[in-house]
Amino acid sequence: MTSTSTLTDAARGMRHRRPRRSVVPVLAPAVIWAGAVGVLALWWSDTTSVVGAADWITGAGRITGLLAGYGCAVLLALMARVPLLDHTVGTDRLARWHAWGGRCTISLVLAHTLLIIWGYSLTSHTNVVGQTSTLVLHYPDMLKGTIGFLLFLATGILSARAARRRMSYETWHYLHFATYLAVFLAFGHQLSNGADFVGNRPAQVAWYTLFIGVAALLAWYRFALPVRRGMRHRMRVVAVHPEAPGVVSVHLTGEHLDELGGAPGQFLRWRFLTRELWWTANPYSLSAPAHPRHLRITVKSAGGHSAALARLRPGTRVWAEGPYGGFTAHRRTAPKVLLLAGGVGITPLRTLFETLPGQVTLVYRARHADDLALRGELDAIAARRQATVHYVVDGPGGYSSPLTARGLGDLVPDLAAHDVYLCGPPGMARSATEALRGAGVPARRIHHESFEF
């Protein structure tokens, strides 16, 4: 079923302006790799010669240890929620970098431990078990370092996909905080025992500067700023309205909400101060453009936290962290835009549908016609700005179109010339991406932000 509406004078006057492309997504990886090169240079400058198997193995242990320590700082910085990174690179891409870097760092930690034990045992002509005992019990700060090593391994196991499927997001999130303790415990043993730091004051100062800087970012953006905003904005729930089966909109009010600066397409992490929800903050997109006195999110029941939002009472206090994400108009590169939504993925796209200038087409897919949330608002927006809305449903009586290159091409002429903003369940997002690429849409024009952090 398709709805096409006429353009108002205000919408007709909108002109597409090509946004400036940020260099941060390119510069950030370059800076990270440059730092890794600097770490290798530290080892190189402090190593006079490498002779024999013991030296080679111990040297490899030193390199992996230095890189593991540097990797810990990078991992924490990526998840510090620094706005410059978050709004340009995107929260989901930072999370993917963090996950990949986490696997590399844990591998380096494990390699460092095994190589150092092996190399030292060859040098001292002792067996591996005896050398391990000597290192742990008699070297300064090594007992703490060992505990940190075990915490790293535990975090790696819990972060594996098979393990994560068995626990809630909230449980995994709080168990992940063990990495902070692991980094703290492991930090001391590097400066106490690391051959590249002992007696090397510039290296020590650089290492302290790196970790203190990252700790400051975490303390401000992850803890101090959310508390400050919670106290200042004094947000409360005004009402909870059903939108579709299992979907509700939560309306909120507060003070100085314009200072949050939430752009269409972004999300915040919401902490509802009730007995069952206060301990966790979950990400939900704004489903209407931000207002100085009012905000709204629209949520589908998909777990304990989201289901509990339907039972919120007016007056419930709310803390919000953010806004986060780079799923905004700044990613746009072409005059024509397709918004492709699946299910409750309509929430960030609804705000973009209202605010993006130029020629915009919305394709909204759902299982049944009753699952089309916010449909009245979408039709009203289309009526104001000569936009086309295609509602694609799989149930009886609905218009169905396959999620293929040909199916999308039939709905959206000249599809390859569009920027595409895509939001929906993971399976739908993967199928849509394949279909879009098959239709000739360049990868750089497919903008997708996942909440699978």
Side-chain angles (χ1 to χ4, degrees):
M1 54 189 76
T2 305
S3 172
T4 306
S5 305
T6 59
L7 183 66
T8 64
D9 291 339
R12 188 179 290 111
M14 292 188 297
R15 293 183 298 173
H16 171 67
R17 289 179 294 178
R18 186 182 183 91
R20 295 180 180 179
R21 302 288 288 176
S22 173
V23 299
V24 176
V26 176
L27 188 60
V31 170
I32 292 172
W33 285 111
V37 172
V39 168
L40 293 176
L42 173 62
W43 170 83
W44 180 265
S45 65
D46 198 54
T47 302
T48 56
S49 63
V50 180
V51 180
D55 277 3
W56 280 105
I57 294 171
T58 302
R62 286 170 54 194
I63 292 173
T64 52
L66 287 169
L67 289 174
Y70 173 72
C72 289
V74 171
L75 292 178
L76 295 178
L78 289 176
M79 289 291 102
R81 298 175 187 167
V82 179
L84 177 63
L85 287 176
D86 194 274
H87 296 171
T88 55
V89 177
T91 306
D92 61 336
R93 193 189 301 182
L94 289 174
R96 289 195 295 271
W97 290 359
H98 176 83
W100 182 84
R103 290 189 289 270
C104 292
T105 301
I106 290 175
S107 299
L108 288 169
V109 169
L110 184 60
H112 163 70
T113 303
L114 298 177
L115 289 169
I116 286 294
I117 292 173
W118 186 13
Y120 279 29
S121 67
L122 290 176
T123 301
S124 60
H125 305 288
T126 59
N127 61 63
V128 170
V129 175
Q131 186 61 54
T132 301
S133 176
T134 299
L135 286 171
V136 172
L137 300 178
H138 299 291
Y139 277 60
D141 293 318
M142 275 303 301
L143 185 57
K144 291 190 296 184
T146 301
I147 296 173
F149 165 71
L150 295 175
L151 287 174
F152 272 122
L153 288 185
T155 303
I157 294 171
L158 292 173
S159 297
R161 190 178 300 273
R164 284 201 59 183
R165 290 197 190 103
R166 299 176 180 271
M167 66 181 73
S168 67
Y169 167 81
E170 294 82 9
T171 300
W172 173 85
H173 179 72
Y174 279 100
L175 288 175
H176 217 63
F177 278 124
T179 54
Y180 293 143
L181 178 59
V183 172
F184 174 77
L185 292 172
F187 179 78
H189 100 277
Q190 286 191 300
L191 297 178
S192 299
N193 302 299
D196 302 286
F197 294 106
V198 176
N200 189 342
R201 178 61 62 181
Q204 293 175 7
V205 170
W207 214 243
Y208 269 113
T209 301
L210 173 64
F211 278 87
I212 291 175
V214 171
L217 292 176
L218 286 166
W220 177 250
Y221 289 112
R222 294 293 299 267
F223 300 101
L225 189 58
V227 172
R228 176 179 176 270
R229 286 179 170 174
M231 300 295 290
R232 177 164 177 76
H233 297 305
R234 298 182 177 276
M235 276 191 280
R236 295 181 180 273
V237 174
V238 176
V240 178
H241 293 152
E243 302 286 0
V247 179
V248 298
S249 284
V250 181
H251 297 258
L252 308 110
T253 189
E255 302 175 5
H256 314 291
L257 297 184
D258 53 320
E259 296 177 5
L260 284 173
Q266 289 188 308
F267 68 93
L268 294 91
R269 296 178 185 271
W270 303 89
R271 189 181 302 273
F272 297 90
L273 304 185
T274 68
R275 182 177 299 178
E276 58 180 330
L277 299 176
W278 68 268
W279 62 286
T280 184
N282 278 25
Y284 299 116
S285 296
L286 294 172
S287 60
H291 184 275
R293 292 286 300 173
H294 303 284
L295 297 176
R296 187 186 71 178
I297 58 175
T298 301
V299 181
K300 180 178 178 62
S301 177
H305 188 279
S306 54
L309 300 191
R311 302 189 295 272
L312 289 173
R313 295 182 178 180
T316 299
R317 288 290 303 273
V318 184
W319 282 15
E321 304 171 27
Y324 299 122
F327 194 63
T328 65
H330 290 292
R331 290 191 177 182
R332 180 178 181 172
T333 61
K336 299 178 181 179
V337 175
L338 166 64
L339 307 176
L340 182 53
V344 79
I346 189 61
T347 52
L349 297 184
R350 180 256 181 256
T351 60
L352 291 170
F353 188 45
E354 180 174 350
T355 58
L356 276 176
Q359 181 178 331
V360 181
T361 302
L362 172 65
V363 175
Y364 184 7
R365 301 181 62 90
R367 291 176 181 262
H368 306 286
D370 291 342
D371 295 326
L372 296 169
L374 308 175
R375 182 173 178 179
E377 295 182 18
L378 298 173
D379 288 336
I381 293 170
R384 292 196 299 268
R385 53 165 307 167
Q386 194 184 4
T388 300
V389 184
H390 298 286
Y391 298 106
V392 181
V393 297
D394 298 329
Y399 172 74
S400 181
S401 175
L403 198 56
T404 61
R406 182 174 180 178
L408 290 175
D410 289 342
L411 291 175
V412 185
D414 197 19
L415 178 57
H418 285 66
D419 262 303
V420 181
Y421 286 77
L422 168 63
C423 190
M428 174 265 185
R430 287 191 294 270
S431 298
T433 300
E434 293 176 3
L436 291 167
R437 293 302 307 278
V441 180
R444 68 180 184 278
R445 288 187 177 175
I446 301 174
H447 313 300
H448 172 236
E449 192 158 61
S450 169
F451 283 75
E452 288 192 311
F453 301 149

